[in-house]
Amino acid sequence: MEKYKLVIIGGDAAGMTAASKVRRQNDDCEIVVFEKSEFVSYSACGIPYFISGKVTSSEELIVRTPEEFIKKHKIDTRILHEVIEVDTDKNRVLVYKADDKTQFWETYDKLLIATGGKAYCPDVKNRDADGIFGISTLRSGIKVDNFIKAKKPKTAVIVGGGYIGLEMAEALLIKGLKVSLVNRSEEIMNTLDPDMGALVNKAMKNLGVEIYVKEELKDFEADENGVTAVVTDKRTLKTDLVILGMGTSPNTAFLKNSKIKLDEKGAVVVAKTQRTNIRNVWSAGDCATTTHLVTKKPFYIALGTVANKTGLVAGKNISGGNAVFPGVVGTAVCKICVFEVARTGLLEKQLQKLNIDYVAAMIKTKSRAGYYPDSKDIYVKLIAEKKTGRLLGGQIIGEEGAAKRIDVLATALTYKLTLRNIIDLDLSYAPPFSPVWDPVQTAARKLITQLKK
Amino acid sequence: MEKYKLVIIGGDAAGMTAASKVRRQNDDCEIVVFEKSEFVSYSACGIPYFISGKVTSSEELIVRTPEEFIKKHKIDTRILHEVIEVDTDKNRVLVYKADDKTQFWETYDKLLIATGGKAYCPDVKNRDADGIFGISTLRSGIKVDNFIKAKKPKTAVIVGGGYIGLEMAEALLIKGLKVSLVNRSEEIMNTLDPDMGALVNKAMKNLGVEIYVKEELKDFEADENGVTAVVTDKRTLKTDLVILGMGTSPNTAFLKNSKIKLDEKGAVVVAKTQRTNIRNVWSAGDCATTTHLVTKKPFYIALGTVANKTGLVAGKNISGGNAVFPGVVGTAVCKICVFEVARTGLLEKQLQKLNIDYVAAMIKTKSRAGYYPDSKDIYVKLIAEKKTGRLLGGQIIGEEGAAKRIDVLATALTYKLTLRNIIDLDLSYAPPFSPVWDPVQTAARKLITQLKK
């Protein structure tokens, strides 16, 4: 077995998946993990459900504790250790220890950067006030939970209409708060086309969320107890609690002075092997770039699936393997109370930018056979290349059973299937599950007629 | 517009889909439909839900009435007209009229055979006794419903463990009957491998169904009021009601003396255009063969999806088009109370027969993130070609959200994806919908390790 010392920066999905993989492949190497918070190996995606109380304890979100990694897997897992600088010339990282506020250099033979992402917030007044929370780490989730228990807020404002914002809206509605949402563009969820986004707006309003669109965050107001209001370019919204939902940015400020290449958003640029531009340095998860399989261009997306998969690929390659993560098609799903929202591929506005001639159609049908009890409305929008009929994107909104239908479209996108191919797929049918023509096929049937025009 | 006279034999999914398509393409041609029963254009798949009372009236299963076809679409729809002979030399069919018990010859320029299938029953004693029902037409469904209302049966025996048998078991349990099931092989649902079938056996037993496996139907006992018992090679089961669930056979007895080619099961042999061996004669739906896209061989399957799709292809081609129905991968789903069963592709025993070297693995995981409320067990079995890792079959059993996951595997089978390809798919994830690795990917990850051995 090759003997080397692997240092991993960041102990959640990507980092610990890689650490475990390397240990399974090589019992002899030394593995050191530096994690800034007190938690490793947890489901960040589960935080909204812990805050809502659907998941009763934050411990349920933890897959493995630092002690388990240390004892069972001989992975030297050091929590409350933050890496603040990387020196690739000398193969070493500078570590800040939170408990005694000291710092030290640690050397490595191989390095994995897996620091994840954090909630984006523009540089506005009072952005660090108490009561303003981004949801990206278990620590941040516990802080929100403690805040709600201690301060008993009655109102909350979500700034931004991304997935985490919507999931947190559900959580806070369940906790009995009056929830408002401020969004820069006309429709919330800008990962959908406006016609589908409008359905989400409507659904959120029906759930009782106050929505303010086409309003830009200007400032926060705060007093000695913390945040008191969100100020937009149109109004001041008094509030007890603010959730940042404007998207995720990579946690890579500590790499600014290193030789490791970052993209314009600060994400670590990696090849499909998860290698960076520096020999013996890999990166994986929400801090790194990936590839979009439809545009073939570099793409940034912060998702638990990608973190797990890229962590595994990094782990294999650090162990001398030759694995690749081919990339993503931009699949994402989100649940807000009874509503399910799903998307994959490209949006109309992205295709316009790329100068691709496309056709698009939206259909409304039922999730089950029309006569079957509890059959619900389901909306499917498909976008295809005009010349070839190749699928370029899909969006689905509905209730129970809507979201997971996106997986067929994600598969179709990856393998360049046309609308005709989708219509011909042997998809499953029985009255409790679907109409005879699955909704994605009904959408393809509608859209294919536009190709012929 | 080409002027011709189209005769269609059979007025359900395939026949009426074709009729409607032809009418949309050509306003001038004459279309005559002969339907043996009093109903056209209904969902046969919905019958078990009508019997259970989930669907309150048989009328809800009817998509369009004969009158609608006659008046709105100028389709001469003649119910209670049974075609009893086809003479392709003289381009004519012999029709039996049930009301006045007369018969007449009707000529055609083009002919579509869409007579569907019926519940298979071996030639045993008392097979025509009252109280023994196959479920294949709306008429048969209404008969069962009337029988239950009039005779108030307390016990039922399902003979055979196919989809309809299982769906009828659910329906009769809901109606409060004591239900037994007799099955020839060791596991019910022989469209699953025995290891997955065993899970269905267990689920059925937990629902309160008495199961007798490895028992062959020998006879029925009957008195002047109808059936009184099912006799197997091992026992006599007293019963008030019998449901035939041994599969479907094509309704093609009336073609025996025609020149139209049938396969050994009696299904009309068709090309991918739905053409038969005779010029100007097409066939579609449960009475015709199709192609299995994995084996590339002719295949017989009775399914509502296939009937609709092949009816549409026949309609296009009758109108002078050039459409094809490429075939199926054998996808089917079934719900029995809370349990969902899904399958696609080939079984182990089929691969053994074909002398294909394969690997197979079954996993048990969760339908949602483990910590999310109501996360249920889900079992996924995958089978792949040993040499290439290409997927050859998949089976899924679980509760809510299990069945529709088969669609990704059906797509993967159609496009010859390997286990590696499946692992790399950008499938959707959020805690309410899936674990981070979708169950089908977890199964692929387990199975891929066996390729390396």
Side-chain angles (χ1 to χ4, degrees):
Chain A
M1 285 285 168
E2 189 192 354
K3 285 213 179 185
Y4 58 85
K5 178 177 171 184
L6 167 65
V7 165
I8 297 177
I9 315 175
D12 197 15
M16 297 324 272
T17 298
S20 302
K21 182 67 190 173
V22 171
R23 176 55 75 227
R24 282 197 301 276
Q25 302 286 102
N26 185 326
D27 206 43
D28 291 336
C29 66
E30 185 184 349
I31 308 175
V32 183
V33 177
F34 294 117
E35 165 57 41
K36 183 179 164 180
S37 80
E38 52 273 66
F39 305 104
V40 297
S41 191
Y42 56 85
S43 170
C45 307
I47 293 167
Y49 310 102
F50 154 60
I51 290 169
S52 75
K54 280 197 175 192
V55 174
T56 48
S57 147
S58 64
E59 283 169 26
E60 288 184 55
L61 300 183
I62 295 171
V63 184
R64 278 195 207 90
T65 61
E67 292 68 39
E68 279 178 82
F69 282 108
I70 293 167
K71 287 182 190 158
K72 276 202 196 161
H73 306 285
K74 293 190 300 161
I75 294 169
D76 182 3
T77 306
R78 306 198 209 165
I79 58 168
L80 299 169
H81 282 61
E82 181 182 2
V83 171
I84 53 176
E85 203 182 315
V86 173
D87 175 358
T88 54
D89 287 337
K90 292 187 174 157
N91 285 0
R92 60 181 191 166
V93 299
L94 183 59
V95 187
Y96 171 77
K97 266 180 81 192
D99 57 354
D100 58 9
K101 295 181 182 165
T102 58
Q103 57 188 55
F104 61 91
W105 286 101
E106 181 91 15
T107 59
Y108 62 78
D109 300 312
K110 303 185 183 193
L111 177 68
L112 173 65
I113 299 161
T115 42
K118 63 172 185 294
Y120 168 76
C121 186
D123 189 13
V124 297
K125 211 169 69 185
N126 293 314
R127 62 181 264 184
D128 295 321
D130 198 26
I132 302 175
F133 300 99
I135 307 289
S136 55
T137 61
L138 187 51
R139 184 194 265 178
S140 63
I142 290 171
K143 274 188 189 167
V144 176
D145 187 56
N146 289 340
F147 181 90
I148 292 173
K149 281 174 181 152
K151 304 270 182 96
K152 303 194 171 33
K154 292 197 168 51
T155 56
V157 175
I158 318 268
V159 183
Y163 299 101
I164 292 168
L166 299 196
E167 289 170 350
M168 282 302 298
E170 169 181 315
L172 297 173
L173 285 171
I174 291 172
K175 296 303 274 187
L177 278 78
K178 195 183 158 310
V179 179
S180 304
L181 193 149
V182 171
N183 198 54
R184 193 161 64 168
S185 57
E186 183 153 1
E187 309 301 347
I188 51 182
M189 283 202 108
N190 64 6
T191 54
L192 300 179
D193 283 323
D195 51 351
M196 295 296 274
L199 297 172
V200 180
N201 280 26
K202 204 177 136 194
M204 295 292 285
K205 277 182 193 164
N206 285 342
L207 293 171
V209 177
E210 204 79 53
I211 294 187
Y212 302 96
V213 296
K214 295 173 95 172
E215 297 199 16
E216 189 119 14
L217 173 68
K218 284 289 159 196
D219 272 322
F220 297 110
E221 287 179 1
D223 63 16
E224 67 283 5
N225 293 317
V227 71
T228 58
V230 171
V231 183
T232 76
D233 49 358
K234 291 198 185 136
R235 77 194 73 231
T236 295
L237 281 162
K238 291 278 166 199
T239 189
D240 303 330
L241 169 63
V242 172
I243 302 290
L244 302 173
M246 291 169 284
T248 301
S249 52
N251 270 329
T252 52
F254 71 104
L255 296 175
K256 224 183 277 175
N257 299 319
S258 79
K259 291 185 176 171
I260 295 165
K261 194 177 166 192
L262 308 179
D263 75 0
E264 69 284 358
K265 282 179 186 162
V268 181
V269 176
V270 292
K272 291 190 178 189
T273 54
Q274 304 304 131
R275 268 179 197 276
T276 69
N277 61 314
I278 306 288
R279 209 185 136 267
N280 279 353
V281 181
W282 287 260
S283 182
D286 291 358
C287 62
T289 61
T290 182
T291 302
H292 198 296
L293 293 173
V294 181
T295 63
K296 310 270 181 205
K297 289 178 183 167
F299 186 64
Y300 177 71
I301 192 163
L303 275 181
T305 45
V306 177
N308 274 275
K309 289 173 180 179
T310 56
L312 190 61
V313 167
K316 284 178 182 174
N317 292 340
I318 288 167
S319 314
N322 196 20
V324 293
F325 178 71
V328 299
V329 289
T331 310
V333 287
C334 176
K335 181 180 162 296
I336 322 129
C337 301
V338 298
F339 297 103
E340 300 187 4
V341 182
R343 58 94 62 225
T344 190
L346 301 179
L347 299 176
E348 291 198 44
K349 64 182 173 203
Q350 292 172 306
L351 291 163
Q352 286 156 11
K353 242 189 202 168
L354 292 165
N355 268 320
I356 294 173
D357 203 9
Y358 68 87
V359 289
M362 195 218 289
I363 57 123
K364 177 185 173 184
T365 177
K366 292 285 176 183
S367 58
R368 313 172 193 259
Y371 53 79
Y372 195 87
D374 296 323
S375 183
K376 305 282 189 197
D377 288 343
I378 178 169
Y379 297 83
V380 180
K381 176 172 183 172
L382 295 185
I383 307 175
E385 191 178 28
K386 175 132 181 140
K387 206 172 73 181
T388 61
R390 179 190 166 189
L391 185 73
L392 294 172
Q395 297 159 51
I396 304 177
I397 296 177
E399 300 190 22
E400 188 223 306
K404 264 295 188 182
R405 282 187 156 94
I406 205 74
D407 288 348
V408 166
L409 299 178
T411 308
L413 277 174
T414 308
Y415 288 92
K416 301 190 172 75
L417 304 199
T418 64
L419 296 172
R420 180 80 257 156
N421 297 150
I422 291 168
I423 293 167
D424 285 337
L425 285 174
D426 188 15
L427 302 185
S428 58
Y429 159 65
F433 303 123
S434 178
V436 171
W437 289 94
D438 189 273
V440 304
Q441 293 180 311
T442 300
R445 289 180 72 193
K446 174 160 183 194
L447 186 52
I448 205 169
T449 63
Q450 293 190 29
L451 293 179
K452 292 164 188 167
K453 282 174 189 164
Chain B
M1 284 285 169
E2 189 192 352
K3 285 212 178 186
Y4 57 87
K5 178 177 170 185
L6 167 66
V7 166
I8 297 176
I9 316 175
D12 197 15
M16 296 325 272
T17 299
S20 303
K21 182 69 190 170
V22 170
R23 177 54 77 226
R24 282 198 301 276
Q25 302 286 102
N26 185 327
D27 205 43
D28 292 335
C29 66
E30 186 186 350
I31 308 175
V32 182
V33 176
F34 293 117
E35 164 58 40
K36 182 179 165 183
S37 80
E38 51 274 66
F39 305 104
V40 297
S41 191
Y42 56 84
S43 170
C45 308
I47 293 168
Y49 310 101
F50 155 60
I51 290 169
S52 74
K54 282 197 173 192
V55 174
T56 48
S57 148
S58 63
E59 283 168 27
E60 288 185 55
L61 301 183
I62 294 171
V63 184
R64 277 195 207 90
T65 61
E67 292 69 37
E68 279 179 82
F69 282 108
I70 292 167
K71 286 180 192 160
K72 275 202 196 161
H73 306 286
K74 295 189 300 160
I75 294 169
D76 182 4
T77 307
R78 307 198 207 164
I79 57 168
L80 299 169
H81 281 62
E82 180 181 2
V83 172
I84 54 175
E85 203 182 315
V86 173
D87 175 358
T88 55
D89 288 335
K90 295 188 175 157
N91 285 1
R92 60 181 193 167
V93 299
L94 184 59
V95 187
Y96 172 77
K97 265 181 81 190
D99 55 356
D100 58 9
K101 294 182 181 166
T102 58
Q103 56 188 54
F104 62 91
W105 286 100
E106 181 92 14
T107 59
Y108 61 80
D109 300 312
K110 303 186 183 193
L111 178 68
L112 173 64
I113 299 160
T115 42
K118 62 173 186 294
Y120 168 77
C121 186
D123 189 14
V124 298
K125 213 170 65 185
N126 293 315
R127 61 181 263 186
D128 296 320
D130 197 26
I132 301 175
F133 300 98
I135 307 290
S136 54
T137 60
L138 185 51
R139 184 193 265 178
S140 63
I142 291 171
K143 275 187 189 168
V144 176
D145 187 56
N146 288 341
F147 182 90
I148 292 174
K149 280 173 181 152
K151 303 271 183 95
K152 302 193 171 36
K154 292 198 167 53
T155 55
V157 175
I158 317 268
V159 183
Y163 300 101
I164 293 168
L166 299 196
E167 288 170 349
M168 282 302 298
E170 170 182 312
L172 297 173
L173 285 171
I174 290 172
K175 296 302 275 185
L177 277 77
K178 195 183 160 307
V179 179
S180 304
L181 193 149
V182 171
N183 199 55
R184 192 160 65 168
S185 57
E186 183 153 1
E187 310 300 347
I188 51 181
M189 282 202 109
N190 64 6
T191 54
L192 300 178
D193 283 324
D195 50 353
M196 295 296 275
L199 297 172
V200 179
N201 279 25
K202 204 177 137 195
M204 294 292 284
K205 278 182 193 164
N206 285 342
L207 293 171
V209 178
E210 203 80 52
I211 295 187
Y212 302 95
V213 295
K214 295 173 95 171
E215 297 198 16
E216 189 118 15
L217 172 69
K218 283 289 159 199
D219 272 320
F220 297 109
E221 288 179 2
D223 62 18
E224 65 284 5
N225 293 316
V227 70
T228 58
V230 172
V231 183
T232 75
D233 49 357
K234 292 198 184 136
R235 79 195 70 230
T236 296
L237 281 162
K238 291 279 167 202
T239 188
D240 305 326
L241 170 63
V242 171
I243 302 291
L244 302 173
M246 290 170 284
T248 301
S249 52
N251 269 331
T252 53
F254 70 105
L255 296 175
K256 225 184 273 176
N257 299 319
S258 79
K259 290 186 175 168
I260 295 166
K261 194 177 167 192
L262 308 179
D263 74 0
E264 68 284 358
K265 283 179 186 162
V268 181
V269 176
V270 292
K272 292 189 178 191
T273 55
Q274 303 306 130
R275 269 179 197 277
T276 68
N277 61 315
I278 306 289
R279 209 186 137 267
N280 280 355
V281 182
W282 287 261
S283 182
D286 291 357
C287 62
T289 61
T290 182
T291 303
H292 199 295
L293 293 173
V294 181
T295 64
K296 311 270 182 206
K297 289 179 183 166
F299 185 63
Y300 177 72
I301 192 163
L303 275 181
T305 45
V306 177
N308 274 275
K309 290 174 180 178
T310 56
L312 190 62
V313 167
K316 285 178 182 174
N317 293 339
I318 288 166
S319 316
N322 196 19
V324 293
F325 178 71
V328 299
V329 289
T331 310
V333 287
C334 177
K335 181 180 161 296
I336 322 130
C337 301
V338 299
F339 297 102
E340 301 186 3
V341 182
R343 57 96 60 226
T344 191
L346 302 177
L347 299 175
E348 290 197 45
K349 64 182 171 201
Q350 291 172 306
L351 291 163
Q352 286 156 14
K353 245 188 200 169
L354 292 165
N355 268 321
I356 294 173
D357 204 8
Y358 67 87
V359 289
M362 194 219 289
I363 57 124
K364 177 185 173 185
T365 176
K366 292 285 176 184
S367 58
R368 311 171 194 260
Y371 52 81
Y372 195 88
D374 296 322
S375 183
K376 306 280 189 196
D377 289 343
I378 179 170
Y379 297 82
V380 180
K381 176 172 181 170
L382 295 184
I383 306 175
E385 191 178 28
K386 174 131 184 147
K387 206 171 72 180
T388 62
R390 178 190 166 189
L391 185 72
L392 293 172
Q395 297 159 51
I396 303 178
I397 296 177
E399 299 189 25
E400 189 224 305
K404 264 297 190 181
R405 283 189 155 92
I406 205 75
D407 287 350
V408 166
L409 299 178
T411 309
L413 276 174
T414 307
Y415 289 92
K416 301 191 171 77
L417 305 198
T418 64
L419 297 172
R420 179 80 256 155
N421 297 150
I422 292 168
I423 293 168
D424 285 338
L425 285 174
D426 188 15
L427 301 184
S428 58
Y429 159 66
F433 303 123
S434 177
V436 171
W437 289 94
D438 189 272
V440 303
Q441 294 179 312
T442 301
R445 289 180 71 193
K446 174 160 183 194
L447 186 50
I448 205 169
T449 61
Q450 292 189 30
L451 294 179
K452 293 164 186 165
K453 281 171 192 166

